[in-house]
Amino acid sequence: MTERVVLAYSGGLDTSVAIGWIAEETGAEVIAVAVDVGQGGEDLDVIRKRALACGAVEAEVADARDEFAQEYCLPAVKANALYMDRYPLVSALSRPVIVKHLVAAARKHGASIVAHGCTGKGNDQVRFEAGIAALGPDLTCIAPVRDYAMTRDKAIAFCEAKQLPIATTKKSPYSIDQNVFGRAVETGFLEDIWNAPIEDVYEYTADPSVPREADEVLVGFEAGVPVSIDGRPVTVLQAIQQLNERAGAQGIGRIDIVEDRLVGIKSREVYEAPGAIALITAHQELENVTVERELARYKRQVEQRWGELVYDGLWFSPLKRALDGFIEEANQHVTGEVRMTLHGGRAVVTGRRSPKSLYDFNLATYDTGDTFDQSKAQGFIEIFGLSSKIAAKRDLAV
């Protein structure tokens, strides 16, 4: 029986060439799988037909936008996930949903190998292969660009020699990955970390320095899930899409960061994630109102570890699953509405309300009606600081 390879297919030059390249290198039949996570671009059926024209024996396309938003982006919002306190895991979140569809296709078509188009230098090779190992430990992985030295020059030559139905136009100076949760841009002149990004780098966001009217938005949550925008019900996907448009129009969500890659190097990345940043900003503030102090403090530690696990490609790991349970529990009372002003590249919270609020006006006020018994504060402080006081006396006596 001829061996079969499932290929993560984007419809671009590299993965189109990879179909024939893999067939020649391994003698296997190739099944192309394209997954729509809101990256835009060509119609899925066009991509499917191109895969077949390039030599795939089967081609599958999946509209996974709602799945991606609900099962991958939403947990990131609940976790307030910002790698290195800034990056909302745009690319890292999309890899496990793609992996899930690749492994399902491998089972369906009797494939023993899964292929992807990543280089040997980035995080994505780890995310794909660690995810595949977790969901299909019997499957093996290959990466033509990494394993067979499939350079772009070789890919173009192969494309032209085989007369494949794909344009071999001059490559963009940037490497771009995008989905509904955001957009990642790297390489080109950005590799010099002294160079400032220029406006043509951006697509999801308008120039925040251009004067424009501010936009006020009301985001409603139930148990950490965004359920309404300005009082109108939305799905998670719709919430992201609408805030992408409105926050993006105000230049919100631009991130320029030198980040720590899993493979051990530092890389300069420019991100746009207007909807993600707006949602996380609103969610964090509603947590401030509804989550008890000690739980909130501990959750911040969990959020950092959760983000690192996802960034490192360990979405399907036991620790990630365990932390998911904690984050769900911590979100059970995160219900209410947050009002934000979107303007000048920032999402600024201006109001918050919740039926689950822990904010007690009568305890917080300094005016008449204050119910906080200040007479008890002195004794509390004496006992609270007692251990430090005893240690200080010892140290002063030395």
Side-chain angles (χ1 to χ4, degrees):
M1 181 179 173
T2 304
E3 195 161 46
R4 290 190 148 195
V5 176
V6 165
L7 170 67
Y9 185 65
S10 69
L13 173 66
D14 290 341
T15 53
S16 293
V17 167
I19 294 171
W21 194 289
I22 291 169
E24 287 194 0
E25 290 286 337
T26 68
E29 295 178 337
V30 177
I31 295 98
V33 176
V35 182
D36 183 359
V37 287
Q39 64 266 38
E42 294 179 301
D43 180 78
L44 283 178
D45 194 51
V46 171
I47 291 173
R48 185 186 66 81
K49 289 175 179 175
R50 180 178 303 138
L52 294 172
C54 288
V57 295
E58 301 272 2
E60 291 190 2
V61 293
D63 183 349
R65 290 174 296 174
D66 277 301
E67 178 187 4
F68 176 52
Q70 185 73 36
E71 298 179 24
Y72 299 85
C73 300
L74 175 58
V77 172
K78 288 182 176 181
N80 301 316
L82 297 170
Y83 181 68
M84 296 179 68
D85 300 321
R86 293 179 65 198
Y87 166 46
L89 300 169
V90 167
S91 296
L93 289 168
S94 72
R95 301 323 184 211
V97 67
I98 295 170
V99 162
K100 183 179 172 183
H101 284 271
L102 292 174
V103 173
R107 299 298 185 219
K108 176 181 174 182
H109 295 284
S112 58
I113 300 171
V114 177
H116 59 78
C118 304
T119 70
K121 201 171 177 178
N123 299 309
D124 281 339
Q125 57 178 335
V126 183
R127 295 166 180 159
F128 276 111
E129 295 187 29
I132 290 162
L135 296 186
D138 56 312
L139 299 172
T140 57
C141 294
I142 59 173
V145 174
R146 181 192 68 197
D147 301 341
Y148 304 134
M150 194 186 83
T151 64
R152 186 168 182 86
D153 288 344
K154 290 180 181 177
I156 290 173
F158 187 93
C159 180
E160 291 173 348
K162 302 293 183 181
Q163 296 185 316
L164 298 180
I166 184 163
T168 57
T169 53
K170 187 174 183 286
K171 187 183 181 184
S172 163
Y174 313 118
S175 173
I176 299 171
D177 179 64
Q178 62 191 42
N179 58 55
V180 74
F181 210 53
R183 185 169 176 269
V185 186
E186 62 177 359
T187 72
F189 80 98
L190 295 172
E191 289 178 343
D192 182 340
I193 61 176
W194 187 249
N195 288 336
I198 56 178
E199 276 303 307
D200 76 353
V201 166
Y202 301 106
E203 285 188 9
Y204 284 16
T205 55
D207 184 347
S209 68
V210 175
R212 55 177 63 86
E213 290 294 315
D215 183 7
E216 186 174 271
V217 63
L218 191 68
V219 184
F221 291 86
E222 289 183 9
V225 181
V227 295
S228 66
I229 302 290
D230 291 336
R232 293 184 292 274
V234 290
T235 65
V236 177
L237 177 60
Q238 289 168 341
I240 297 168
Q241 289 171 328
Q242 290 182 28
L243 287 171
N244 273 342
E245 183 176 341
R246 292 174 66 174
Q250 299 288 337
I252 293 164
R254 292 187 173 187
I255 301 154
D256 180 359
I257 182 174
V258 175
E259 71 185 40
D260 291 318
R261 280 190 181 178
L262 175 60
V263 294
I265 64 174
K266 290 184 181 289
S267 67
R268 198 267 190 93
E269 310 284 341
V270 174
Y271 298 106
E272 299 178 275
I277 293 300
L279 276 174
I280 290 172
T281 299
H283 180 267
Q284 284 176 319
E285 186 60 24
L286 193 56
E287 281 193 338
N288 289 344
V289 174
T290 58
V291 178
E292 182 271 334
R293 184 188 68 191
E294 295 305 315
L295 176 56
R297 287 178 174 178
Y298 196 80
K299 183 174 182 286
R300 283 190 277 275
Q301 299 176 48
V302 171
E303 290 170 357
Q304 179 177 342
R305 191 70 189 103
W306 191 95
E308 291 167 349
L309 290 168
V310 175
Y311 183 88
D312 291 348
L314 296 175
W315 180 274
F316 301 107
S317 67
L319 177 55
K320 157 68 172 46
R321 284 197 301 271
L323 296 184
D324 284 340
F326 173 88
I327 290 167
E328 280 297 310
E329 173 68 20
N331 271 270
Q332 64 174 324
H333 297 305
V334 185
T335 295
E337 291 181 308
V338 174
R339 186 179 66 237
M340 294 186 296
T341 297
L342 311 177
H343 190 236
R346 298 178 63 213
V348 178
V349 173
T350 62
R352 64 290 276 164
R353 60 189 178 194
S354 170
K356 303 283 189 176
S357 176
L358 297 178
Y359 178 84
D360 187 323
F361 176 86
N362 292 323
L363 287 173
T365 185
Y366 285 86
D367 292 334
T368 303
D370 179 5
T371 58
F372 188 95
D373 187 348
Q374 297 188 43
S375 68
K376 295 178 181 177
Q378 183 178 356
F380 163 74
I381 295 167
E382 288 181 4
I383 294 172
F384 181 75
L386 186 58
S387 63
S388 295
K389 182 178 180 180
I390 293 169
K393 285 182 176 180
R394 178 201 62 193
D395 297 342
L396 290 171
V398 174

